Amino acid sequence: DIQMTQSPSSLSASVGDRVTITCRASQSISRYLNWFQQKPGKAPKLLIYAASGLQSGVPSRFSGSGSGTDFTLTISSLQPDDFATYYCQQSYSPTGRTFGGGTKVEIK
Amino acid sequence: EVQLVESGGNLVQPGGSLRLSCAASGFTFSSYEMNWVRQAPGKGLEWISYISGSGTVVDYADSVKGRFTISRDNAKNSLSLQMNSLRAEDTALYYCAREMAEWPNAFDIWGQGTMVTVSS
């Protein structure tokens, strides 16, 4: 099974900060990497697909990069609505779409 | 509107059974692969099961293999998860999620979740 490791597990940041979250796969997954945002009491929301594709309706301050085993989600200027937990997920396996452990972004 | 609505969650005793349903609307259900994902209280997301559009290919996480069965009824636009031999560690919010029709098969539509509590 492909394991996904996110870092950090949590971070504190201020509105306007640039925030970077990393995700590492236990084997190469090409660009089969997706990012989700989840707010308390809500279902996850797809932000980025295929490592860098911006899902429709998602603000352009969100961006993704990487390929192979190392990936990054960047929020260029953190907004109040962005305080949430972020998950990466690999879709390389035909089945078994494992998630990372999550990164909670909190207000400093 | 594209929508998924789960139902069937409940309080059940260890060793018991429960059947979850997910009603799809607003899209051609049979054209999409579907998944179940769960989230234990205060924990992260765990993928647990997959089914192809035709229903002929299924897969499960090791944590539920042999106990859970995924199925779908394309005529009724419905996805199901039959859960048997339930354990305390199965307590979670269960989501159904649609896969994008094309690469890279990200989960683009999610339901609101249905809560399963396994406790005596």
Side-chain angles (χ1 to χ4, degrees):
Chain A
D1 291 357
I2 300 174
Q3 307 301 317
M4 306 301 295
T5 303
Q6 277 182 246
S7 61
S9 56
S10 65
L11 64 89
S12 295
S14 300
V15 172
D17 284 354
R18 181 181 182 88
V19 170
T20 299
I21 299 168
T22 64
C23 180
R24 175 165 289 177
S26 60
Q27 67 181 72
S28 177
I29 58 171
S30 183
R31 294 177 62 82
Y32 287 77
L33 191 285
N34 312 301
W35 290 97
F36 296 87
Q37 177 194 65
Q38 187 180 34
K39 296 180 180 179
K42 299 293 187 181
K45 172 187 172 183
L46 178 64
L47 296 178
I48 301 286
Y49 61 90
S52 60
L54 193 66
Q55 176 69 345
S56 175
V58 174
S60 59
R61 62 181 180 272
F62 290 94
S63 64
S65 64
S67 66
T69 60
D70 294 312
F71 301 87
T72 299
L73 173 69
T74 299
I75 308 172
S76 60
S77 177
L78 196 66
Q79 298 302 301
D81 191 49
D82 301 338
F83 292 96
T85 300
Y86 294 84
Y87 294 93
C88 63
Q89 183 210 26
Q90 63 83 14
S91 51
Y92 181 81
S93 299
T95 55
R97 314 272 198 220
T98 45
F99 291 89
T103 297
K104 187 174 184 179
V105 177
E106 299 176 301
I107 301 172
K108 181 182 285 185
Chain B
E1 179 190 5
V2 174
Q3 195 173 13
L4 297 171
V5 178
E6 302 95 334
S7 60
N10 211 334
L11 170 65
V12 61
Q13 292 189 338
S17 298
L18 205 58
R19 187 176 184 88
L20 305 184
S21 296
C22 171
S25 59
F27 63 99
T28 304
F29 182 64
S30 60
S31 296
Y32 290 85
E33 299 163 342
M34 299 293 295
N35 293 264
W36 287 97
V37 176
R38 70 184 180 184
Q39 187 169 36
K43 302 297 184 182
L45 300 171
E46 180 189 14
W47 169 84
I48 58 170
S49 189
Y50 157 92
I51 188 166
S52 62
S54 63
T56 56
V57 180
V58 298
D59 198 23
Y60 303 92
D62 288 344
S63 58
V64 306
K65 196 171 292 183
R67 300 187 299 123
F68 290 12
T69 302
I70 190 172
S71 62
R72 65 191 297 160
D73 184 338
N74 287 337
K76 295 182 178 180
N77 293 336
S78 178
L79 175 73
S80 296
L81 186 69
Q82 176 66 42
M83 304 187 295
N84 298 331
S85 303
L86 284 162
R87 307 166 179 167
E89 54 265 36
D90 295 319
T91 294
L93 187 61
Y94 284 73
Y95 294 101
C96 61
R98 185 185 85 167
E99 286 193 18
M100 287 175 139
E102 298 175 351
W103 180 86
N105 303 98
F107 294 179
D108 64 341
I109 303 295
W110 296 64
Q112 84 289 349
T114 187
M115 187 68 201
V116 173
T117 303
V118 184
S119 175
S120 54

